[in-house]
Amino acid sequence: MADEVVLLDALASMFGMRARVALAEKGIEYEYREEDLVNKGELLLKMNPVHKKIPVLIHNGKPVCESLIIVQYIDEVWKDKAPLLPSDPYQRAQARFWADYVDKKVYDAGRRIWSRKGEEQETAKKDFIECLKVLEGVLGDEPYFGGKTFGFLDIALVTFSTWFYTYETCANFSVEVECPELIEWVKRCMEKESVSKSLLDPHKVFDLLVIWIRGVGESKKIEC
Ligand SMILES: N[C@@H](CCC(=O)N[C@@H](CS)C(=O)NCC(=O)O)C(=O)O
Ligand SMILES: *[C@@H]1O[C@H](CO)[C@@H](O)[C@H](O)[C@H]1NC(C)=O
């Protein structure tokens, strides 16, 4: 029986893009479904009743939620093709540690950049740049975070590059000036079709964010 794979997603989501890159790396065919995050659909609420967030991977009718868990699930189910996580337990732990750092620190600082103003935004910008510098150090002289090959941590972080233009525009700075080697790494990743075809154009991310903020209204808390 052929696998039935559906991805509930939103184009501008750096979390959704992780699932898209992982599926592309493995060469999995799937049905992409764009979700309205302002007026959430039945299927999303049913498939992710806990967080009510995208992405959700529905594999043969069963949902898997949370982007990093989705990427690991994809890696485990389609394990014959292009492994994403390192085979060594220690390296695996390291990759997971830094992916968690991306979720906790990079995401949080990035979010504060576009959702705050003034002093708070300045602090967010400093935090964001600091986090990226830490990650630049983790990359070191290797071509990818996975070492010689593209892998889990590369997927976890590279999708955030689609938001760099938004962060830069909101807070007047340049990631390339601050972290040139990280930008070189982004360009290297973009040479892979699995990445370039899965990532949304940074200008479109910005446009969608503007539309989204308008749709939700300033009063309501939104997350992306
Ligand atoms: N930790 C989650 C985050 C997912 C997330 O924040 N998704 C956003 C879109 S980028 C969402 O669905 N937001 C809807 C909401 O906040 O109600 C993951 O890694 O999948
Ligand atoms: C943006 O940053 C540049 C370079 O740091 C600076 O010259 C310029 O005045 C800043 N613009 C605003 C609107 O703050």
Side-chain angles (χ1 to χ4, degrees):
M1 190 192 77
D3 281 299
E4 192 191 59
V5 183
V6 177
L7 183 67
L8 307 186
D9 202 346
L11 274 176
S13 170
M14 60 284 257
F15 301 111
M17 287 183 235
R18 287 172 170 172
R20 277 174 250 164
V21 175
L23 288 164
E25 272 290 298
K26 299 281 185 176
I28 310 301
E29 277 186 39
Y30 64 99
E31 182 192 336
Y32 178 94
R33 285 203 209 170
E34 181 74 9
E35 291 293 315
D36 178 351
L37 298 180
V38 179
N39 301 297
K40 291 174 186 165
E42 286 291 323
L43 187 64
L44 175 59
L45 297 175
K46 188 177 148 214
M47 291 294 166
N48 189 358
V50 176
H51 297 303
K52 306 173 178 68
K53 287 183 181 185
I54 58 88
V56 180
L57 184 84
I58 311 173
H59 184 204
N60 297 329
K62 292 187 295 187
V64 181
C65 303
E66 290 292 311
S67 60
L68 292 178
I69 294 174
I70 292 171
V71 173
Q72 294 181 66
Y73 177 80
I74 290 168
D75 198 29
E76 286 173 15
V77 172
W78 291 280
K79 56 177 175 294
D80 310 338
K81 298 179 221 165
L84 301 175
L85 276 142
S87 54
D88 174 67
Y90 186 74
Q91 295 303 327
R92 282 167 92 89
Q94 289 305 104
R96 287 179 175 132
F97 172 85
W98 287 111
D100 183 61
Y101 177 88
V102 172
D103 273 9
K104 287 179 177 145
K105 308 288 273 191
V106 178
Y107 168 68
D108 173 70
R111 186 164 191 281
R112 281 184 282 125
I113 289 178
W114 65 259
S115 63
R116 310 281 172 85
K117 292 189 174 76
E119 201 65 34
E120 283 186 319
Q121 189 181 56
E122 277 304 302
T123 308
K125 173 164 83 177
K126 285 200 193 86
D127 292 347
F128 185 75
I129 292 167
E130 202 179 289
C131 290
L132 290 191
K133 289 196 166 157
V134 169
L135 286 162
E136 212 174 28
V138 173
L139 178 64
D141 295 329
E142 296 288 353
Y144 300 108
F145 283 93
K148 301 280 173 275
T149 55
F150 177 84
F152 181 67
L153 183 53
D154 296 289
I155 296 178
L157 183 62
V158 76
T159 62
F160 278 76
S161 69
T162 63
W163 280 71
F164 287 176
Y165 171 75
T166 297
Y167 303 144
E168 291 170 335
T169 307
C170 291
N172 187 32
F173 71 109
S174 157
V175 176
E176 182 148 29
V177 167
E178 304 290 343
C179 305
E181 278 157 32
L182 198 75
I183 294 298
E184 284 305 311
W185 161 80
V186 170
K187 288 179 187 157
R188 229 163 11 245
C189 292
M190 287 296 270
E191 284 167 16
K192 297 180 73 71
E193 201 186 280
S194 61
V195 178
S196 60
K197 76 173 192 193
S198 305
L199 265 47
L200 188 67
D201 176 84
H203 291 86
K204 293 202 177 115
V205 168
F206 183 79
D207 294 346
L208 284 172
L209 178 68
V210 171
I211 293 167
W212 195 35
I213 291 173
R214 247 186 244 138
V216 176
E218 298 236 18
S219 58
K220 218 171 119 188
K221 187 171 163 277
I222 56 167
E223 280 176 39
C224 189

